[in-house]
Amino acid sequence: MNSSTSSSALVAESCEIEVIDTDCFLLCNLLSLDEQVQLFESIDCRDKTAEYDMAPKACMYPSPKTLIFGRDDEGVNIPLQVFESREKSIVHDLIISRGTNVLNRQNVSNLTWNNRSKSLGNNDGGFSIKMAVIRYMSESPNSKFPRHIDHCDGSYVYLTSLGCTARFLVKGPNMTEKRILEMRSGDVLIFNASTAAAIEHGVEGIDGSETCPVALGERCPVLQNHRYGVQCRVNSFEIRQN
């Protein structure tokens, strides 16, 4: 086992799992500092927002900004990065595969996870990951995302937080009250995105720059006063596990 693999294994072992609802799990500290840097750099090198975003810039309190990864032949901005099932990627290895493995090893997913992992598989066992990234400014009164329920049947969402801490609202059908989670840098929330699962979620706000890990901010300065919400939507659950 090389040092990188050993480090990843240690992080996965130290990850704390909280079952928020039947189809919603919070994995705290899933990504190490180095892995958070890798993920940010992978996103940053694909980010074309500065080149293609023509919207007026807010001077003091900008609203959350969905990053742009390209432009199609008709000049329409593309806010998604798609990774196919056979494609090797940091997103798959650090978030999808590891998060899935951690939950399965801890056996916290026996309520619905295993059945859905079979029923959502394509005939060829393939899947795709659609990644979207929203950038929030810390302590901005506009750094919110309205609470909502996804209606994306046949998919799970893996939501990773980078940078400043997010106050993230979750309300599932089996919860008597909503919860405001403190999603810290390196945490991953995994939830069923179908209409039936009815996992209501949203961003209530972003905490101050002091909540960004110092070492992370030194290596990725933009994260010192921002939070990146990295949403990966998996359209099938026949996920290959390392």
Side-chain angles (χ1 to χ4, degrees), residues 82-122:
V82 180
F83 303 91
E84 298 301 332
S85 60
R86 303 294 190 268
E87 184 178 354
K88 193 75 172 175
S89 68
I90 288 175
V91 168
H92 173 267
D93 292 348
L94 295 187
I95 302 173
I96 309 302
S97 180
R98 183 183 298 173
T100 303
N101 284 333
V102 166
L103 283 183
N104 286 342
R105 281 203 302 271
Q106 295 297 322
N107 198 32
V108 299
S109 53
N110 56 352
L111 293 174
T112 60
W113 180 283
N114 292 331
N115 288 335
R116 286 203 173 96
S117 71
K118 297 175 182 176
S119 65
L120 296 180
N122 293 331

